Amino acid sequence: MENGEIPENANEHCPGPNSESAGKSDACQGCPNQEVCATAPKGPDPDLVAIAERMATIKHKILVLSGKGGVGKSTFSAQLSFALAAKDFQVGLLDIDICGPSIPKMLGLEGQDIHQSNLGWSPVYVESNLGVMSIGFMLPNPDEAVIWRGPRKNGLIKQFLKDVYWGELNFLVVDAPPGTSDEHISIVQFLQATGIDGAIIVTTPQQVSLIDVRKEVNFCKKVGVPVLGVVENMSGLCQPLMDFRFLKMTESGEHTDVTEKVVEYMREKAPEMLDLIAASEVFDSSGGGAAKMCKEMGVPFLGKVPLDPQLCKAAEEGKSCFTDQKCGVSAPALKIIIEKLITNYWPQEMSVEQ
């Protein structure tokens, strides 16, 4: 328990050896370290001083959260980082989703390793102004499962914050796991003294996702983290009509591909349809979606991003959706949201950029 670190064999939800409740709380019952923690001298965690020193060179710290997994939170974190870096900001992306680190793939950095210098751990760089840190770079095998209890996860998050040398950054984007668990409590606790700009919460339109997002909003309010806004992702499937396949169902239930015939018919009879965008509601948004929830809970609604197969492809390939015209449906929606964030919260950065 050197320097107040939580031991690896501690119980889940360990309050930490420096806590006033160390060795005394319900979570300490049966822990092999209970007696040591109860009698050890208490005091401020010296690692928090080291974290504050590291964070002193970072202007803005943004948490990206979600109530549920699979809503596109990491995709948003990746594209937000790409967009900020494209504006010539110095950007860091920290992946604290310890059990499901997808950021290395979404940034095109699979197979990269972390290097250490006399200044600390060096991030892995996509561009000279976009660095990334993730446990994904530390796994010997990408299929390796990370089976860690809360204390060990929290220890790695603390190590990322105090040992990674980012240098001067305009923005540090923190991609958190879904929910409101140990990792979320830890990142807020470790960064609170250094100042967190706020959290962006990503959801999908249906109630089963929004129920958990409400919990996420309440979590932010309880721990004092401002909600910068909510993004409704996968807000309807949108793509050019010519990107669809057209199928005809037979009486036996089998599908026959009739795409070629349909396209040929449209070319001859209705050529104006060839440039149309087709849209369909994938998730039920009859309850009002994220916009209604934001109004009810008094938090900003940032906008909607449609479910775009080309954005999914960009994430799979580890590319920015802004570099070409392929993500013609999703990229403009993301750009509007990111411009709104910068205008509302960091206008001074835009004036510096200009």
Side-chain angles (χ1 to χ4, degrees):
M1 287 185 287
E2 186 179 351
N3 290 334
E5 292 183 359
I6 296 175
E8 290 186 12
N9 61 345
N11 287 355
E12 197 167 4
H13 307 301
C14 169
N18 282 325
S19 168
E20 289 298 324
S21 61
K24 304 170 187 175
S25 74
D26 291 341
C28 300
Q29 297 303 314
C31 176
N33 308 291
Q34 185 175 7
E35 186 177 345
V36 176
C37 289
T39 56
K42 307 296 186 293
D45 185 349
D47 286 335
L48 294 182
V49 176
I51 290 172
E53 289 173 355
R54 285 290 192 196
M55 296 296 113
T57 60
I58 299 172
K59 289 185 180 179
H60 305 292
K61 293 169 277 295
I62 308 164
L63 306 182
V64 182
L65 310 175
S66 69
K68 277 201 176 302
V71 300
K73 169 187 55 61
S74 294
T75 299
F76 181 83
S77 296
Q79 297 304 325
L80 172 63
S81 301
F82 276 130
L84 292 172
K87 290 179 174 293
D88 290 330
F89 293 128
Q90 297 295 323
V91 183
L93 175 53
L94 175 60
D95 180 7
I96 63 166
D97 192 344
I98 306 299
C99 294
S102 51
I103 288 298
K105 181 171 182 62
M106 291 186 175
L107 274 293
L109 297 173
E110 283 185 298
Q112 298 293 317
D113 296 319
I114 297 171
H115 298 286
Q116 191 152 3
S117 70
N118 59 339
L119 296 172
W121 288 357
S122 297
V124 178
Y125 284 90
V126 183
E127 303 286 350
S128 61
N129 65 332
L130 175 52
V132 180
M133 180 55 67
S134 170
I135 191 177
F137 300 133
M138 304 166 71
L139 300 177
N141 182 340
D143 298 330
E144 190 80 25
V146 179
I147 308 171
W148 289 2
R149 290 188 181 275
R152 195 170 178 192
K153 292 180 187 177
N154 298 342
L156 181 62
I157 292 171
K158 181 186 279 190
Q159 195 164 8
F160 279 158
L161 294 175
K162 73 183 179 70
D163 289 347
V164 175
Y165 177 69
W166 296 100
E168 299 276 345
L169 289 185
N170 298 100
F171 296 96
L172 177 65
V173 178
V174 181
D175 185 55
T180 53
S181 55
D182 286 349
E183 294 95 321
H184 305 80
I185 297 168
S186 294
I187 194 72
V188 171
Q189 177 189 345
F190 296 151
L191 287 182
Q192 204 139 40
T194 73
I196 301 172
D197 287 58
I200 300 167
I201 302 175
V202 182
T203 183
T204 45
Q206 77 277 33
Q207 286 299 315
V208 74
S209 178
L210 293 172
I211 287 169
D212 288 336
V213 170
R214 291 174 184 272
K215 297 182 179 74
E216 203 79 36
V217 171
N218 283 325
F219 167 81
C220 290
K221 290 179 177 179
K222 285 181 180 178
V223 299
V225 174
V227 176
L228 303 178
V230 176
V231 175
E232 184 178 286
N233 196 28
M234 306 186 197
S235 185
L237 171 65
C238 290
Q239 64 180 44
L241 187 61
M242 291 299 95
D243 287 351
F244 278 92
R245 289 173 59 220
F246 296 90
L247 306 174
K248 183 177 181 180
M249 185 179 288
T250 64
E251 291 182 1
S252 62
E254 295 179 347
H255 291 152
T256 303
D257 193 322
V258 293
T259 304
E260 202 171 307
K261 291 180 181 179
V262 171
V263 171
E264 187 60 35
Y265 181 85
M266 283 193 288
R267 282 203 178 104
E268 290 180 7
K269 305 294 184 180
E272 68 276 7
M273 294 181 64
L274 298 175
D275 295 326
L276 292 180
I277 301 290
S280 175
E281 293 295 326
V282 178
F283 300 108
D284 179 22
S285 59
S286 58
K292 182 181 178 184
M293 183 215 68
C294 287
K295 189 174 181 181
E296 292 171 350
M297 300 200 73
V299 294
F301 178 61
L302 293 173
K304 301 180 179 183
V305 180
L307 180 57
D308 180 0
Q310 290 298 327
L311 177 59
C312 300
K313 188 175 181 183
E316 285 287 311
E317 295 176 351
K319 296 178 180 177
S320 168
C321 71
F322 305 103
T323 52
D324 53 38
Q325 302 301 313
K326 291 181 180 178
C327 300
V329 175
S330 56
L334 282 164
K335 187 175 180 181
I336 290 170
I337 289 170
I338 293 165
E339 293 289 351
K340 186 184 292 186
L341 281 165
I342 295 172
T343 301
N344 290 351
Y345 299 108
W346 310 294
Q348 71 278 13
E349 296 296 339
M350 287 301 292
S351 59
V352 169
E353 179 202 10
Q354 289 166 0

